[in-house]
Amino acid sequence: MILLFIILLPLFLLVLWGFFRFQPRGAGRSKLMVYNGLSILTAVLLSGGYAWHLYRAMAPTSDFAWWPVIAPIFALGISTGLLILAGLLRLVFFPRSYYRNSL
């Protein structure tokens, strides 16, 4: 489990940095802020929802003490995957913004 933290935490930080670093230049600022906010909110809500599900599922078992260790691992994985997906979907929602300056 320590190995998963060692791998997932730097990967999450790299994806988070890339998500905000490589934004479309010509896109409307307000639309981009709404999209980024919704992407982050979705990642937080799904990670929190899975942590709540894990808490409730493990409550009646003898492994209940492990849920605070397992939940952050899954939260890092869920958030990393969603931010990668949201970054790729920006190419779909803001396509001309990426190519405007290169043509």
Side-chain angles (χ1 to χ4, degrees), residues 40-56 67 70-79 82:
I40 297 294
L41 182 65
T42 303
V44 167
L45 288 177
L46 283 178
S47 297
Y50 187 77
W52 178 252
H53 166 72
L54 194 62
Y55 173 80
R56 290 181 47 118
W67 85 266
I70 297 171
I73 292 172
F74 278 97
L76 284 173
I78 290 169
S79 299
L82 280 172

Side-chain angles (χ1 to χ4, degrees), residues 16 18-24 27-44 82-83 86-90 93-94 98:
L16 190 64
F19 182 76
F20 287 109
R21 171 70 174 94
F22 299 109
Q23 295 190 26
R29 186 162 174 82
S30 61
K31 289 181 183 178
L32 190 60
M33 286 180 59
V34 167
Y35 179 81
N36 288 346
L38 287 175
S39 299
I40 297 294
L41 182 65
T42 303
V44 167
L82 280 172
L83 289 179
L88 292 174
L89 284 176
R90 271 198 305 218
F93 293 126
F94 303 101
Y98 284 101

